[in-house]
Amino acid sequence: MKKTIQNKWQDTDVEQIVGQLLRYGVFTASVVALIGGVIYIGTKGQSPMPSYHKFVGEGANFTSYSGIIKGASSFNAAGIIQLGVLLLIATPVLRIVFSLVGFALEKDRMYVCITLIVLAVITTSIFGGLKV
Amino acid sequence: MTILTFSIILLVGSYLAGLLGSLTGLGGGVVVIPLLTLVFGVDIRYAIGAALLASIATSSGSASAYVKEGITNIRLGMFLEIATTIGAVLGALIAVYTPTNTIAILFGAVLIFSAAMTLRKKNQEVLTEGSPLAEKLKLNSSYPTPQGEVDYKLKNVGAGFSIMTFAGVISGLLGIGSGALKVLAMDTAMRIPFKVSTTTSNFMIGVTAAASAVVYLQRGYMDPGLAFPVMLGVLAGAFTGSKLLMKMNPQVLRFIFCAAITFVALEMIYNGIQHKF
């Protein structure tokens, strides 16, 4: 298929939006993590550091989406940091959604399908279908 | 050590890791893992969780600039992300059943390979004759150079796709972007010009890392106390690195850093063999 001039324009538009999205996503996630970090150090700064050399894993508060959101909304420092983590992970996923819209606007059916496959793999992973 | 001191040291360390990762082209996540495990004695699973975040942050942060310039081949990236995301989820699942010492040894090996890759001769050639499959998938494109827009075509789509799946597995297993493997697939197999392959690889790293990051998050491998200094430090370091790269061409520095990283990698392998993880 040959690209028409109009197509080329739309292509660039979507690319610009994608670029912006990535930047804002990372920025927002960093600010949230920074706020959480400052509160974390403010409240627990003087306690001895946890023993990271032994792996225990995080509690449900920090591993489930509802747990993280609940923790962050009650201004729990660790909860806010995890919300930043979640936002950071969500940025590339949102990027794919934007690309999907972009390809749909260009009426590029093949790439709408390809993007949907990528999205399906990630959502399968997100919604715990693979939790072993 | 109190949490305050630990966080500050980790923040500074992550800043340097981000700077080093950016100057060598290895990526921020790669340097964070030896920093956490060898220097701070952190369990490698926590280190991988933190490194994944560093990879997403640096990839998304720097990819935005390249996308804007129109060098990144978005269709190619999306197509190959099928391979890397499936690989990444598989890798993250395998990681649970892999002994930490094995992960450390594998990490060291991949690190040496990556360091060697950054020093190799880069593909500047533009292919004018592509394969039918590349044509069918609309992967051929053009990119801006100082001499104007240059068209390029590509071949060996199947081989590239396979290496990408492997790159995804490694990424999910070790928590790194595995940019070196991605570039290998695009440069060596698909014959894409160097500038396009590095930026497209960078663009893909965020999505690949996100696919495995959710698995790590749900497994409890992401610790908030490690996440925030690593995320912020690496991001700031990578930002400084990209500014420095615009002003200088760090060919000599790159060589020294890669040698240093090979040394670190050997220590990871040695400790892994000695069952110290």
Side-chain angles (χ1 to χ4, degrees):
Chain A
M1 195 188 93
K2 289 216 162 58
K3 268 187 190 170
T4 62
I5 290 175
Q6 193 195 358
N7 252 338
K8 182 93 186 168
W9 265 107
Q10 287 174 343
D11 228 22
T12 342
D13 283 348
V14 173
E15 286 172 22
Q16 298 293 333
I17 296 170
V18 165
Q20 293 271 344
L21 172 83
L22 289 172
R23 217 184 346 247
Y24 290 133
V26 172
F27 180 75
T28 316
S30 311
V31 170
V32 172
L34 180 66
I35 295 171
V38 169
I39 300 176
Y40 176 69
I41 288 179
T43 50
K44 288 200 185 140
Q46 297 313 316
S47 335
M49 69 176 269
S51 53
Y52 288 121
H53 63 270
K54 244 182 88 190
F55 180 75
V56 279
E58 306 302 317
N61 290 346
F62 304 129
T63 55
S64 70
Y65 307 111
S66 55
I68 290 173
I69 290 171
K70 217 160 89 193
S73 56
S74 61
F75 288 102
N76 172 299
I80 298 176
I81 298 175
Q82 290 300 73
L83 181 66
V85 167
L86 216 52
L87 286 172
L88 186 69
I89 298 176
T91 303
V93 181
L94 251 178
R95 194 274 273 168
I96 299 178
V97 176
F98 267 71
S99 297
L100 181 69
V101 176
F103 289 131
L105 285 176
E106 288 173 39
K107 300 198 171 55
D108 187 338
R109 279 177 57 192
M110 185 182 11
Y111 271 85
V112 168
C113 288
I114 288 176
T115 313
L116 279 174
I117 297 173
V118 176
L119 210 52
V121 174
I122 293 192
T123 35
T124 315
S125 173
I126 290 176
F127 293 107
L130 294 164
K131 217 171 182 180
V132 182
Chain B
M1 206 188 306
T2 65
I3 286 182
L4 177 66
T5 3
F6 175 68
S7 302
I8 291 173
I9 299 174
L10 187 55
L11 190 70
V12 174
S14 303
Y15 177 81
L16 294 175
L19 187 64
L20 191 65
S22 159
L23 289 179
T24 50
L26 287 171
V30 179
V31 196
V32 162
I33 293 182
L35 174 76
L36 283 171
T37 53
L38 296 178
V39 180
F40 294 107
V42 171
D43 184 287
I44 199 164
R45 279 165 286 198
Y46 282 132
I48 290 175
L52 274 172
L53 295 178
S55 299
I56 300 176
T58 46
S59 151
S60 304
S62 59
S64 65
Y66 298 126
V67 170
K68 218 173 145 199
E69 286 169 36
I71 305 173
T72 313
N73 186 334
I74 294 197
R75 279 198 168 73
L76 175 69
M78 190 59 79
F79 171 67
L80 293 175
E81 271 163 11
I82 298 178
T84 59
T85 48
I86 292 176
V89 175
L90 282 179
L93 292 175
I94 300 170
V96 189
Y97 304 103
T98 313
T100 45
N101 287 302
T102 312
I103 292 182
I105 296 169
L106 200 60
F107 178 83
V110 171
L111 197 51
I112 292 174
F113 168 75
S114 307
M117 279 289 290
T118 62
L119 297 175
R120 88 204 182 290
K121 204 170 151 276
K122 316 227 172 347
N123 177 32
Q124 306 274 18
E125 265 173 73
V126 172
L127 222 58
T128 46
E129 203 62 49
S131 69
L133 191 57
E135 186 68 39
K136 214 173 160 198
L137 287 164
K138 292 185 269 185
L139 299 177
N140 301 328
S141 183
S142 62
Y143 75 111
T145 64
Q147 289 82 39
E149 260 326 267
V150 171
D151 286 310
Y152 60 89
K153 296 195 166 149
L154 45 101
K155 59 178 187 183
N156 297 330
V157 177
F161 195 84
S162 313
I163 304 176
M164 280 296 174
T165 314
F166 178 66
V169 172
I170 292 294
S171 169
L173 191 57
L174 305 178
I176 57 178
S178 50
L181 275 169
K182 290 190 171 77
V183 174
L184 178 76
M186 287 192 266
D187 256 40
T188 317
M190 304 171 96
R191 310 293 303 156
I192 300 166
F194 168 72
K195 220 171 170 187
V196 178
S197 64
T198 24
T199 53
T200 307
S201 144
N202 198 352
F203 181 68
M204 295 168 62
I205 285 173
V207 175
T208 313
S212 45
V214 282
V215 180
Y216 280 86
L217 179 73
Q218 289 169 344
R219 288 251 163 68
Y221 291 12
M222 302 250 181
D223 183 86
L226 295 174
F228 87 92
V230 168
M231 215 169 118
L232 298 173
V234 169
L235 201 56
F239 187 73
T240 314
S242 65
K243 289 268 176 256
L244 279 176
L245 279 175
M246 278 179 214
K247 288 188 201 131
M248 57 178 200
N249 185 9
Q251 205 51 48
V252 181
L253 269 181
R254 185 171 285 175
F255 197 80
I256 297 168
F257 286 152
C258 284
I261 279 174
T262 307
F263 186 74
V264 171
L266 288 175
E267 194 168 345
M268 291 285 288
I269 295 175
Y270 177 78
N271 283 358
I273 293 171
Q274 297 288 318
H275 287 275
K276 283 194 183 152
F277 283 97

